[in-house]
Amino acid sequence: MNNKFLTGLSFKLTRSTVSIAFILGLLVSLLQLYSDFDNQAKLIDDKVEEIFSITAPAAQRAVHQLDPGLASELVNGLSHFDFLNQVKLVDDRKNILASFVRQPVQSNTYWLSNLFGYSTETHLFDLINDSQVSEGELILEVNGDAAMAPFFQRAWYVLVSGVLRNLLLGLMLAVVFQNILAIPLMKLRDQLMKIDPKQPAGYRLEHMRHHDSGEISDIVDTTNSLLNQLEINQSALRENRDQLKALIDVNPNIVMALDRDLTVLFANNSANLFYGVKTEQILGANFLDLHRGVNSQEADRFAHELIQVIHNLEESYEVERELTDGMARKRVLQISYTAIVYEGHASLLLVASDMTEKITREKQLIQVAYQDQLTGLPNRELFLDRLGMAITYTASHKQFGALLYIDLDEFRLINDSKGHSVGDSIILALSDRLASKINSSNTLARIGGDEFCIILSGVDEDKETAINKIVSTAELILCDIRQPLNIKGNEFRITASIGVVIFSEEDSDAEELFKFGDTAMYNAKSAGRNRISMFKMEMTQEVASYVRLENDLKSAIENKEFEFYLQPIVCVGSNQVLGAEALIRWNHPEKGLIGPNEFIDFLESSGLICDISDGLLRDLCAFINEKDLLSVLPEGFRISLNVSAIELHSKNFIETFKATLRDFSMPADLFELEITESSAIQDIEESVAKMKKLALIGVNFSLDDFGTGYSSLSYLKRLPVNKIKIDRSFIQDLIIDHNDQALVTAIISIGQHLELDIVAEGVEWQAQLDWLKQHQMMYQGYLFSKPIKQQDFYQLLMSNLAETLEHPSSVSSSSDQKNTNPKVL
């Protein structure tokens, strides 16, 4: 069935008539069924009430006398009712005196019974004595499916017959409409389609049989009259066409004359060249149809303007429009509309000058000065200018506005691991996404590599309302950024930190507001990233501290102030040292020893962590060679190193690691790399591939902070890890919290079934160790030793090895002599 038939009048009449008849039949049938359904349900309830009223005296006697025989006789009598699934007679203590249960058989209409809630229904009747005291209950479970089945079968017949009756009626009406109206109109349409508007001479419509008078006849006469008039008009046009064309063909501008129907009365050679067609293809054509053949969207936008101009034009009118020419090139035209009288009719003279080259040069100059070259968004200079305008506008209208300073979190990782081409693609995708969320009165700008700013101008006059709207917008943008991006076959999940500055006074300075936004954004990053931070003046002190930390860390790298400490990893049963975790410390020349919590986030976000981690590995290898530890370490001894997301996803991670091992002749199986789930899943495929490459040379892997991720189990089976480390948050309250005990037991069970080594972190109390001794595993924590210097670890290791050799089967008691409540550094 072709599309022409589906859109024709005949089909529409048939469809409408049949549809209305079908719907009416369906509605009437449904109303009837609804009434019958209600009566049927009431009949079931009445039947149950009737059964109870008949059996109530006997049931009352049975429970009053606690007579099982009478109760059984009563229940057996009720079993003859096919629609009862179950009957119970219980006394006031809920003891069953007698019962009957029948396994229900589902009918063909069970799905309907179940749908309307009549599959089963239980009725409880209290057995009240003369003193109005309940002495028991008669419980009847009704098989609603069996009771309602006859009704549903009858309902189906009523519904189908009613619908079919109305469908037949609709088809009969459709046939009547078809013969009276549709067929004559289709014949008339066929005649009209034979008319050639360019050469209508001699062609006239014929009157149809049985329609010599009436509306169809009037249409035929009117159309023939129009054809006569069209012939007269075209004859006059042909007489003047050559003269008019000769006058305008030499003009380099596009010159066209349009009548009120936008039919092209004449066009010069420049117009022919613009559309890339011959003269005969333009003349007589509708101008919008002509342009629609080049660009339909432009023609639709152009239509309203031309119609307004041609009906209201009294004097010259000029506009600038971007239009597509016949070669699909975008051209900027300066168009002048002038009212003229042509061939005795009011017409429109359209003269268009091509301004494309001039405007292109101007745009190029503006783009270089004020636009970001990658995204085309305003750059920092243009942004500050618009921010100043927004400040003035907001103040003059006594409203509140806002600056949103957006910085993508850990974007350096993507550029380093995937390359700047992918990074640029992500920036472009995010800029389009952000642009779709702000209206034309606001401004979106890219002010740096991964930094955007948004101006929200004139949000509201009420401060609280304005703040709520601004925060809501910022949250929407934050959520939008978090949506997955598919770039070159890879899925990326980006987060951002947003600083928000509210402004309302005209004396606010754009540069100052920009710095405040930057300050608030850094506050959001320091608070954990992926969040919004409203600017407060006290934040400036925090930023100053951040800058000082940045300078101190750069100086610390140059002066080699970072060193590693070692914390033993011990067997739960024997306290034998089976490994150690290398932990970074900053030996500040003024502040002394500083833990990683105060500087590690900055090192990761800046990318400096890679250089420091490589230096830590080299120092560790040098220490092992210096103490000749390879000759004394027990079999299976592992030294673990923490690997951040920046390191894991950096391009040179594997090569740098292997090169360091070669330089110091270190066996790869001595080392164990600790990764967190959040680091691995940033690009799970890349993570697994890199881990497998290192595993081939003997490197082991452990999953740190196990149990704290949102999907640890789903990734555990994919990551080639040898060990899981139970996070200290589960160990802390292990003795007093049964939930923690259950979680730790579950994690240990998972590890054992997957044949993984297990380490409990943060063991500080003897009671914690005693609980863990029921499992074969390892632990680390202050109970045995805090992280200690290299030399101290060497002495502790030698002492532990000597004690193990002297008492190989005994359990060391050294841990019992330690402080069971140490202070954490």
Side-chain angles (χ1 to χ4, degrees):
M1 187 177 293
N2 57 38
N3 187 61
K4 184 176 181 181
F5 173 79
L6 293 177
T7 57
L9 178 62
S10 177
F11 176 77
K12 290 180 179 178
L13 283 172
T14 303
R15 180 185 60 190
S16 300
T17 306
V18 173
S19 297
I20 292 172
F22 174 79
I23 292 171
L24 287 176
L26 183 62
L27 288 176
V28 171
S29 298
L30 288 175
L31 287 173
Q32 180 181 347
L33 292 176
Y34 175 80
S35 176
D36 292 345
F37 177 85
D38 190 51
N39 292 333
Q40 183 69 20
K42 188 174 184 302
L43 285 175
I44 295 174
D45 291 336
D46 291 342
K47 186 65 175 177
V48 173
E49 290 289 340
E50 181 182 353
I51 291 173
F52 173 70
S53 64
I54 294 172
T55 58
Q60 172 63 38
R61 288 196 303 275
V63 297
H64 179 74
Q65 299 171 7
L66 299 179
D67 185 349
L70 180 58
S72 297
E73 182 180 351
L74 173 65
V75 169
N76 289 334
L78 292 177
S79 67
H80 294 292
F81 291 95
D82 294 336
F83 63 90
L84 293 179
N85 284 343
Q86 185 178 178
V87 179
K88 287 182 183 180
L89 185 61
V90 298
D91 61 16
D92 57 350
R93 295 184 178 181
K94 304 302 180 181
N95 296 320
I96 299 176
L97 297 179
S99 65
F100 161 76
V101 178
R102 175 187 290 115
Q103 184 64 33
V105 178
Q106 294 181 358
S107 70
N108 293 333
T109 59
Y110 175 79
W111 63 277
L112 284 170
S113 303
N114 189 52
L115 176 65
F116 290 99
Y118 279 93
S119 57
T120 59
E121 185 174 5
T122 302
H123 297 261
L124 279 75
F125 298 96
D126 284 332
L127 300 175
I128 309 298
N129 61 17
D130 295 337
S131 301
Q132 300 302 309
V133 175
S134 176
E135 295 184 328
E137 291 179 340
L138 177 61
I139 303 172
L140 303 178
E141 183 180 287
V142 177
N143 184 345
D145 176 36
M148 296 296 289
F151 166 77
F152 285 129
Q153 292 170 358
R154 186 173 67 257
W156 177 252
Y157 171 80
V158 171
L159 181 63
V160 171
S161 62
V163 170
L164 288 177
R165 181 178 62 252
N166 281 50
L167 280 176
L168 290 174
L169 175 61
L171 289 173
M172 293 176 64
L173 290 174
V175 171
V176 173
F177 290 150
Q178 179 82 1
N179 286 280
I180 294 177
L181 181 61
I183 291 177
L185 287 177
M186 286 189 292
K187 291 181 178 179
L188 183 61
R189 177 202 62 189
D190 293 339
Q191 290 192 62
L192 289 171
M193 292 178 66
K194 294 178 181 178
I195 299 174
D196 184 356
K198 296 180 180 178
Q199 297 179 346
Y203 185 84
R204 295 295 182 269
L205 301 184
E206 298 179 358
H207 285 278
M208 281 173 280
R209 187 178 180 184
H210 305 304
H211 290 279
D212 295 327
S213 60
E215 290 82 356
I216 300 295
S217 177
D218 292 342
I219 293 175
V220 172
D221 292 337
T222 302
T223 304
N224 288 336
S225 177
L226 291 174
L227 289 173
N228 289 332
Q229 187 62 42
L230 181 61
E231 288 182 10
I232 295 172
N233 292 341
Q234 287 189 346
S235 176
L237 285 173
R238 283 192 294 269
E239 293 176 0
N240 293 281
R241 182 181 302 161
D242 293 340
Q243 181 182 2
L244 180 61
K245 191 176 188 314
L247 294 174
I248 63 174
D249 264 349
V250 294
N251 195 322
N253 296 324
I254 298 171
V255 180
M256 303 178 74
L258 311 176
D259 66 11
R260 287 190 173 275
D261 296 324
L262 300 181
T263 301
V264 179
L265 304 179
F266 66 83
N268 70 345
N269 190 54
S270 296
N272 299 339
L273 293 175
F274 182 84
Y275 285 106
V277 296
K278 297 179 180 179
T279 302
E280 54 267 24
Q281 294 176 283
I282 294 182
L283 296 179
N286 181 278
F287 177 73
L288 291 179
D289 291 339
L290 177 67
H291 198 77
R292 192 170 284 112
V294 176
N295 189 306
S296 60
Q297 293 181 346
E298 286 180 0
D300 292 340
R301 293 194 297 267
F302 208 18
H304 180 71
E305 177 181 312
L306 281 174
I307 292 172
Q308 293 297 318
V309 168
I310 205 166
H311 285 87
N312 301 308
L313 185 63
E314 295 180 356
E315 55 187 33
S316 296
Y317 173 63
E318 291 188 358
V319 293
E320 186 177 284
R321 290 287 178 266
E322 183 181 66
L323 298 176
T324 305
D325 66 9
M327 298 178 66
R329 298 176 302 178
K330 294 292 184 180
R331 314 301 293 175
V332 179
L333 302 179
Q334 186 75 29
I335 303 175
S336 172
Y337 301 113
T338 304
I340 62 171
V341 176
Y342 183 75
E343 296 294 335
H345 300 285
S347 303
L348 175 69
L349 178 66
L350 183 153
V351 180
S353 302
D354 193 341
M355 308 291 290
T356 307
E357 300 302 328
K358 176 183 177 182
I359 293 176
T360 299
R361 289 192 297 270
E362 292 176 352
K363 285 185 176 180
Q364 288 174 344
L365 293 174
I366 294 173
Q367 184 174 7
V368 171
Y370 296 109
Q371 288 186 324
D372 175 62
Q373 297 302 300
L374 174 63
T375 63
L377 295 173
N379 60 12
R380 176 169 176 162
E381 286 71 21
L382 181 56
F383 172 78
L384 290 173
D385 179 67
R386 292 189 178 178
L387 180 57
M389 296 169 61
I391 293 170
T392 302
Y393 174 86
T394 302
S396 64
H397 288 75
K398 296 183 179 181
Q399 295 177 330
F400 290 86
L403 163 65
L404 274 58
Y405 198 117
I406 305 169
D407 185 270
L408 305 183
D409 296 330
E410 298 181 344
F411 192 73
R412 177 194 297 268
L413 172 61
I414 294 176
N415 277 332
D416 291 344
S417 61
K418 298 297 183 181
H420 288 275
S421 174
V422 173
D424 288 348
S425 297
I426 292 175
I427 292 295
L428 281 169
L430 285 177
S431 66
D432 291 340
R433 188 178 287 180
L434 291 174
S436 68
K437 297 301 178 185
I438 63 172
N439 56 43
S440 58
S441 63
N442 299 322
T443 298
L444 168 66
R446 183 187 180 211
I447 59 171
D450 60 350
E451 295 177 321
F452 295 88
C453 277
I454 295 176
I455 303 171
L456 302 178
S457 180
V459 178
D460 203 277
E461 296 179 357
D462 179 70
K463 183 175 183 179
E464 183 176 351
T465 303
I467 292 175
N468 289 336
K469 290 181 179 179
I470 291 165
V471 171
S472 177
T473 301
E475 290 175 344
L476 178 63
I477 290 171
L478 199 64
C479 180
D480 231 38
I481 293 174
R482 284 197 295 259
Q483 299 305 308
L485 283 170
N486 194 293
I487 304 295
K488 298 183 179 179
N490 294 313
E491 183 176 271
F492 295 91
R493 293 179 179 271
I494 310 296
T495 62
S497 301
I498 302 181
V500 179
V501 186
I502 309 295
F503 59 84
S504 61
E505 298 179 1
E506 191 169 3
D507 58 357
S508 299
D509 181 70
E511 286 280 0
E512 186 178 43
L513 288 178
F514 183 78
K515 292 177 181 178
F516 289 165
D518 185 51
T519 299
M521 180 273 293
Y522 273 111
N523 182 265
K525 282 194 176 295
S526 63
R529 302 185 182 90
N530 190 25
R531 64 191 64 222
I532 301 166
S533 176
M534 302 288 290
F535 174 76
K536 299 176 183 177
M537 287 304 298
E538 54 265 27
M539 289 182 182
T540 55
Q541 298 178 356
E542 297 177 10
V543 172
S545 300
Y546 188 87
V547 173
R548 285 195 299 271
L549 175 62
E550 179 181 6
N551 294 331
D552 287 349
L553 284 172
K554 291 179 179 178
S555 176
I557 294 173
E558 294 177 1
N559 299 330
K560 298 182 178 180
E561 296 173 4
F562 292 99
E563 57 187 60
F564 70 87
Y565 276 44
L566 292 165
Q567 185 175 31
I569 298 176
V570 188
C571 176
V572 165
S574 64
N575 266 8
Q576 180 185 359
V577 178
L578 301 179
E581 180 178 0
L583 300 166
I584 191 171
R585 296 291 186 269
W586 180 9
N587 195 354
H588 196 282
E590 298 176 0
K591 300 178 181 179
L593 199 64
I594 300 176
N597 290 341
E598 297 187 31
F599 60 83
I600 199 71
D601 286 344
F602 175 81
L603 291 179
E604 290 185 353
S605 63
S606 64
L608 297 174
I609 190 68
C610 296
D611 295 333
I612 292 178
S613 294
D614 183 51
L616 172 65
L617 178 60
R618 300 185 74 84
D619 290 346
L620 186 58
C621 292
F623 166 70
I624 294 170
N625 283 341
E626 177 190 350
K627 298 299 183 181
D628 194 22
L629 288 179
L630 292 178
S631 62
V632 299
L633 291 177
E635 183 179 357
F637 191 94
R638 300 281 184 270
I639 299 178
S640 60
L641 300 132
N642 290 285
V643 178
S644 69
I646 294 289
E647 296 174 84
L648 182 61
H649 296 290
S650 64
K651 289 184 178 180
N652 302 321
F653 173 63
I654 294 179
E655 291 73 15
T656 302
F657 185 82
K658 292 166 67 174
T660 302
L661 297 187
R662 286 195 301 268
D663 292 345
F664 290 90
S665 301
M666 284 289 121
D669 60 358
L670 176 62
F671 296 98
E672 182 176 84
L673 301 182
E674 290 190 14
I675 62 171
T676 61
E677 178 190 353
S678 59
S679 299
I681 66 174
Q682 289 189 14
D683 191 331
I684 186 67
E685 302 299 336
E686 180 189 12
S687 300
V688 171
K690 286 186 174 181
M691 292 170 68
K692 286 183 176 179
K693 286 183 180 179
L694 289 175
L696 288 175
I697 65 172
V699 177
N700 289 269
F701 288 90
S702 64
L703 193 60
D704 198 12
D705 300 337
F706 184 78
T708 59
Y710 60 85
S711 56
S712 296
L713 294 179
S714 64
Y715 289 101
L716 183 58
K717 65 180 181 180
R718 297 189 62 186
L719 298 173
V721 297
N722 312 92
K723 180 187 294 180
I724 55 176
K725 302 187 77 173
I726 303 175
D727 187 68
R728 66 178 62 248
S729 62
F730 298 118
I731 303 300
Q732 182 178 2
D733 297 326
L734 182 64
I735 306 304
I736 61 175
D737 192 327
H738 294 295
N739 290 330
D740 281 345
Q741 292 178 9
L743 287 171
V744 171
T745 301
I747 293 172
I748 293 172
S749 177
I750 291 170
Q752 290 174 343
H753 280 84
L754 295 177
E755 298 182 354
L756 302 175
D757 293 332
I758 304 165
V759 178
E761 297 182 300
V763 178
E764 301 180 1
W765 300 84
Q766 183 62 41
Q768 294 169 337
L769 179 59
D770 291 341
W771 191 93
L772 294 171
K773 282 181 179 179
Q774 60 185 305
H775 302 284
Q776 185 178 355
M777 57 188 297
M778 294 173 278
Y779 78 96
Q780 67 184 98
Y782 277 39
L783 179 63
F784 185 85
S785 173
K786 64 182 181 181
I788 53 180
K789 293 183 178 181
Q790 308 164 28
Q791 185 61 35
D792 295 338
F793 175 79
Y794 175 72
Q795 294 175 0
L796 182 149
L797 178 63
M798 293 300 101
S799 173
N800 183 268
L801 290 175
E803 185 175 351
T804 303
L805 292 173
E806 183 178 352
H807 306 288
S809 61
S810 64
V811 178
S812 173
S813 61
S814 61
S815 61
D816 297 335
Q817 301 169 0
K818 295 183 181 293
N819 182 1
T820 59
N821 189 17
K823 295 181 179 179
V824 180
L825 289 181

Short mmCIF file of all heavy atoms in Angstrom, two decimals, residues 745-777:
data_model
loop_
_atom_site.label_atom_id
_atom_site.label_comp_id
_atom_site.label_asym_id
_atom_site.label_seq_id
_atom_site.Cartn_x
_atom_site.Cartn_y
_atom_site.Cartn_z
N THR A 745 33.95 -11.11 57.56
CA THR A 745 33.85 -12.55 57.31
C THR A 745 33.50 -12.80 55.85
O THR A 745 34.05 -13.71 55.20
CB THR A 745 32.79 -13.18 58.23
OG1 THR A 745 33.15 -12.94 59.60
CG2 THR A 745 32.69 -14.68 57.98
N ALA A 746 32.59 -12.02 55.31
CA ALA A 746 32.18 -12.19 53.90
C ALA A 746 33.34 -11.90 52.96
O ALA A 746 33.57 -12.62 52.00
CB ALA A 746 30.99 -11.29 53.60
N ILE A 747 34.09 -10.82 53.25
CA ILE A 747 35.22 -10.46 52.38
C ILE A 747 36.27 -11.55 52.42
O ILE A 747 36.84 -11.94 51.39
CB ILE A 747 35.81 -9.10 52.83
CG1 ILE A 747 34.79 -7.97 52.57
CG2 ILE A 747 37.10 -8.81 52.09
CD1 ILE A 747 35.21 -6.64 53.14
N ILE A 748 36.55 -12.08 53.63
CA ILE A 748 37.54 -13.15 53.75
C ILE A 748 37.08 -14.38 52.97
O ILE A 748 37.86 -15.04 52.27
CB ILE A 748 37.76 -13.50 55.24
CG1 ILE A 748 38.44 -12.32 55.96
CG2 ILE A 748 38.61 -14.76 55.39
CD1 ILE A 748 38.52 -12.48 57.46
N SER A 749 35.79 -14.70 53.07
CA SER A 749 35.26 -15.85 52.35
C SER A 749 35.40 -15.66 50.84
O SER A 749 35.78 -16.59 50.12
CB SER A 749 33.79 -16.06 52.72
OG SER A 749 33.22 -17.12 51.99
N ILE A 750 35.11 -14.46 50.37
CA ILE A 750 35.26 -14.18 48.93
C ILE A 750 36.70 -14.37 48.50
O ILE A 750 37.00 -15.03 47.51
CB ILE A 750 34.79 -12.74 48.62
CG1 ILE A 750 33.28 -12.63 48.79
CG2 ILE A 750 35.18 -12.34 47.20
CD1 ILE A 750 32.77 -11.20 48.73
N GLY A 751 37.63 -13.81 49.29
CA GLY A 751 39.04 -13.92 48.95
C GLY A 751 39.51 -15.36 48.95
O GLY A 751 40.26 -15.78 48.04
N GLN A 752 39.09 -16.12 49.94
CA GLN A 752 39.52 -17.51 50.01
C GLN A 752 38.98 -18.32 48.84
O GLN A 752 39.68 -19.16 48.27
CB GLN A 752 39.08 -18.12 51.34
CG GLN A 752 39.84 -17.55 52.55
CD GLN A 752 39.30 -18.05 53.88
OE1 GLN A 752 38.18 -18.56 53.95
NE2 GLN A 752 40.09 -17.89 54.93
N HIS A 753 37.72 -18.11 48.47
CA HIS A 753 37.16 -18.87 47.35
C HIS A 753 37.81 -18.48 46.03
O HIS A 753 37.87 -19.29 45.10
CB HIS A 753 35.65 -18.62 47.27
CG HIS A 753 34.86 -19.45 48.24
ND1 HIS A 753 34.67 -19.04 49.56
CD2 HIS A 753 34.25 -20.66 48.11
CE1 HIS A 753 33.95 -19.96 50.19
NE2 HIS A 753 33.68 -20.95 49.34
N LEU A 754 38.29 -17.24 45.94
CA LEU A 754 38.99 -16.80 44.73
C LEU A 754 40.48 -17.05 44.81
O LEU A 754 41.24 -16.65 43.92
CB LEU A 754 38.73 -15.30 44.48
CG LEU A 754 37.28 -14.92 44.16
CD1 LEU A 754 37.16 -13.40 44.01
CD2 LEU A 754 36.80 -15.60 42.89
N GLU A 755 40.93 -17.72 45.91
CA GLU A 755 42.33 -18.06 46.13
C GLU A 755 43.20 -16.80 46.14
O GLU A 755 44.26 -16.73 45.52
CB GLU A 755 42.81 -19.05 45.07
CG GLU A 755 42.06 -20.38 45.11
CD GLU A 755 42.58 -21.39 44.09
OE1 GLU A 755 43.44 -20.99 43.27
OE2 GLU A 755 42.15 -22.54 44.12
N LEU A 756 42.75 -15.77 46.84
CA LEU A 756 43.48 -14.52 46.98
C LEU A 756 44.03 -14.39 48.39
O LEU A 756 43.41 -14.86 49.36
CB LEU A 756 42.57 -13.33 46.68
CG LEU A 756 41.92 -13.29 45.30
CD1 LEU A 756 40.97 -12.10 45.22
CD2 LEU A 756 42.97 -13.19 44.20
N ASP A 757 45.22 -13.77 48.52
CA ASP A 757 45.72 -13.44 49.84
C ASP A 757 44.88 -12.31 50.42
O ASP A 757 44.34 -11.48 49.68
CB ASP A 757 47.19 -13.00 49.75
CG ASP A 757 48.10 -14.16 49.35
OD1 ASP A 757 47.73 -15.31 49.65
OD2 ASP A 757 49.14 -13.90 48.73
N ILE A 758 44.82 -12.25 51.75
CA ILE A 758 43.97 -11.26 52.41
C ILE A 758 44.78 -10.55 53.47
O ILE A 758 45.49 -11.19 54.26
CB ILE A 758 42.74 -11.93 53.06
CG1 ILE A 758 41.96 -12.73 52.02
CG2 ILE A 758 41.85 -10.89 53.71
CD1 ILE A 758 40.97 -13.69 52.60
N VAL A 759 44.68 -9.22 53.50
CA VAL A 759 45.37 -8.40 54.49
C VAL A 759 44.36 -7.47 55.14
O VAL A 759 43.58 -6.80 54.44
CB VAL A 759 46.51 -7.56 53.85
CG1 VAL A 759 47.16 -6.67 54.91
CG2 VAL A 759 47.55 -8.46 53.21
N ALA A 760 44.36 -7.46 56.47
CA ALA A 760 43.51 -6.53 57.21
C ALA A 760 44.34 -5.29 57.56
O ALA A 760 45.42 -5.41 58.14
CB ALA A 760 42.98 -7.19 58.48
N GLU A 761 43.84 -4.10 57.21
CA GLU A 761 44.56 -2.86 57.48
C GLU A 761 44.07 -2.23 58.79
O GLU A 761 42.91 -2.39 59.16
CB GLU A 761 44.34 -1.86 56.34
CG GLU A 761 44.88 -2.31 55.01
CD GLU A 761 44.68 -1.27 53.91
OE1 GLU A 761 43.51 -0.93 53.66
OE2 GLU A 761 45.67 -0.81 53.34
N GLY A 762 44.99 -1.51 59.45
CA GLY A 762 44.60 -0.71 60.61
C GLY A 762 44.34 -1.51 61.87
O GLY A 762 43.50 -1.12 62.68
N VAL A 763 45.04 -2.63 62.08
CA VAL A 763 44.86 -3.43 63.30
C VAL A 763 45.64 -2.74 64.42
O VAL A 763 46.87 -2.64 64.37
CB VAL A 763 45.36 -4.87 63.10
CG1 VAL A 763 45.23 -5.67 64.40
CG2 VAL A 763 44.60 -5.54 61.96
N GLU A 764 44.92 -2.28 65.46
CA GLU A 764 45.54 -1.51 66.54
C GLU A 764 45.33 -2.15 67.91
O GLU A 764 45.98 -1.74 68.88
CB GLU A 764 44.97 -0.08 66.54
CG GLU A 764 45.21 0.66 65.24
CD GLU A 764 44.63 2.08 65.28
OE1 GLU A 764 44.07 2.45 66.33
OE2 GLU A 764 44.76 2.79 64.27
N TRP A 765 44.44 -3.13 68.01
CA TRP A 765 44.10 -3.70 69.32
C TRP A 765 44.33 -5.20 69.29
O TRP A 765 44.12 -5.88 68.28
CB TRP A 765 42.64 -3.42 69.67
CG TRP A 765 42.32 -1.95 69.74
CD1 TRP A 765 42.01 -1.15 68.70
CD2 TRP A 765 42.31 -1.13 70.90
NE1 TRP A 765 41.79 0.13 69.11
CE2 TRP A 765 41.97 0.18 70.50
CE3 TRP A 765 42.55 -1.36 72.27
CZ2 TRP A 765 41.86 1.24 71.37
CZ3 TRP A 765 42.43 -0.30 73.14
CH2 TRP A 765 42.10 0.98 72.71
N GLN A 766 44.76 -5.71 70.43
CA GLN A 766 44.97 -7.14 70.55
C GLN A 766 43.67 -7.91 70.32
O GLN A 766 43.67 -8.99 69.73
CB GLN A 766 45.54 -7.48 71.94
CG GLN A 766 45.86 -8.96 72.13
CD GLN A 766 46.93 -9.46 71.18
OE1 GLN A 766 47.90 -8.76 70.93
NE2 GLN A 766 46.75 -10.66 70.64
N ALA A 767 42.57 -7.34 70.77
CA ALA A 767 41.28 -8.01 70.59
C ALA A 767 40.94 -8.15 69.10
O ALA A 767 40.34 -9.15 68.68
CB ALA A 767 40.18 -7.23 71.31
N GLN A 768 41.31 -7.16 68.32
CA GLN A 768 41.09 -7.25 66.87
C GLN A 768 41.91 -8.41 66.29
O GLN A 768 41.41 -9.19 65.48
CB GLN A 768 41.48 -5.94 66.18
CG GLN A 768 40.60 -4.76 66.56
CD GLN A 768 41.17 -3.43 66.07
OE1 GLN A 768 42.38 -3.33 65.84
NE2 GLN A 768 40.30 -2.43 65.95
N LEU A 769 43.17 -8.50 66.70
CA LEU A 769 44.03 -9.57 66.21
C LEU A 769 43.50 -10.94 66.63
O LEU A 769 43.50 -11.89 65.85
CB LEU A 769 45.46 -9.37 66.71
CG LEU A 769 46.48 -10.43 66.29
CD1 LEU A 769 46.59 -10.51 64.78
CD2 LEU A 769 47.85 -10.14 66.91
N ASP A 770 43.05 -11.04 67.90
CA ASP A 770 42.52 -12.32 68.38
C ASP A 770 41.33 -12.76 67.53
O ASP A 770 41.17 -13.95 67.24
CB ASP A 770 42.10 -12.18 69.86
CG ASP A 770 43.30 -12.00 70.78
OD1 ASP A 770 44.42 -12.34 70.35
OD2 ASP A 770 43.12 -11.49 71.91
N TRP A 771 40.47 -11.80 67.14
CA TRP A 771 39.32 -12.15 66.29
C TRP A 771 39.79 -12.62 64.92
O TRP A 771 39.26 -13.58 64.36
CB TRP A 771 38.41 -10.94 66.13
CG TRP A 771 37.08 -11.28 65.50
CD1 TRP A 771 35.92 -11.60 66.11
CD2 TRP A 771 36.81 -11.32 64.08
NE1 TRP A 771 34.95 -11.84 65.20
CE2 TRP A 771 35.46 -11.68 63.93
CE3 TRP A 771 37.57 -11.11 62.95
CZ2 TRP A 771 34.86 -11.83 62.69
CZ3 TRP A 771 36.98 -11.26 61.70
CH2 TRP A 771 35.64 -11.60 61.59
N LEU A 772 40.84 -11.96 64.37
CA LEU A 772 41.32 -12.32 63.04
C LEU A 772 42.05 -13.65 63.01
O LEU A 772 42.22 -14.25 61.95
CB LEU A 772 42.26 -11.21 62.51
CG LEU A 772 41.61 -9.85 62.24
CD1 LEU A 772 42.68 -8.81 61.94
CD2 LEU A 772 40.62 -9.94 61.08
N LYS A 773 42.52 -14.12 64.17
CA LYS A 773 43.30 -15.36 64.21
C LYS A 773 42.49 -16.57 63.79
O LYS A 773 43.05 -17.63 63.49
CB LYS A 773 43.87 -15.57 65.62
CG LYS A 773 45.09 -14.69 65.91
CD LYS A 773 45.63 -14.96 67.30
CE LYS A 773 46.87 -14.10 67.58
NZ LYS A 773 47.41 -14.33 68.96
N GLN A 774 41.20 -16.45 63.78
CA GLN A 774 40.38 -17.59 63.36
C GLN A 774 40.46 -17.80 61.85
O GLN A 774 39.92 -18.77 61.32
CB GLN A 774 38.93 -17.36 63.77
CG GLN A 774 38.31 -16.12 63.16
CD GLN A 774 36.90 -15.85 63.68
OE1 GLN A 774 36.05 -16.72 63.58
NE2 GLN A 774 36.69 -14.68 64.24
N HIS A 775 41.13 -16.88 61.15
CA HIS A 775 41.26 -16.99 59.70
C HIS A 775 42.74 -17.00 59.31
O HIS A 775 43.57 -16.40 59.99
CB HIS A 775 40.56 -15.82 59.00
CG HIS A 775 39.11 -15.70 59.32
ND1 HIS A 775 38.16 -16.52 58.79
CD2 HIS A 775 38.47 -14.84 60.16
CE1 HIS A 775 36.98 -16.19 59.26
NE2 HIS A 775 37.14 -15.17 60.10
N GLN A 776 43.04 -17.61 58.22
CA GLN A 776 44.41 -17.64 57.70
C GLN A 776 44.60 -16.41 56.81
O GLN A 776 44.14 -16.37 55.68
CB GLN A 776 44.65 -18.92 56.91
CG GLN A 776 46.11 -19.07 56.44
CD GLN A 776 46.33 -20.37 55.71
OE1 GLN A 776 45.43 -21.19 55.64
NE2 GLN A 776 47.52 -20.56 55.18
N MET A 777 45.29 -15.40 57.34
CA MET A 777 45.43 -14.14 56.62
C MET A 777 46.60 -13.35 57.17
O MET A 777 47.35 -13.84 58.04
CB MET A 777 44.14 -13.32 56.75
CG MET A 777 43.73 -13.04 58.18
SD MET A 777 42.11 -12.27 58.29
CE MET A 777 42.42 -10.75 57.42
#
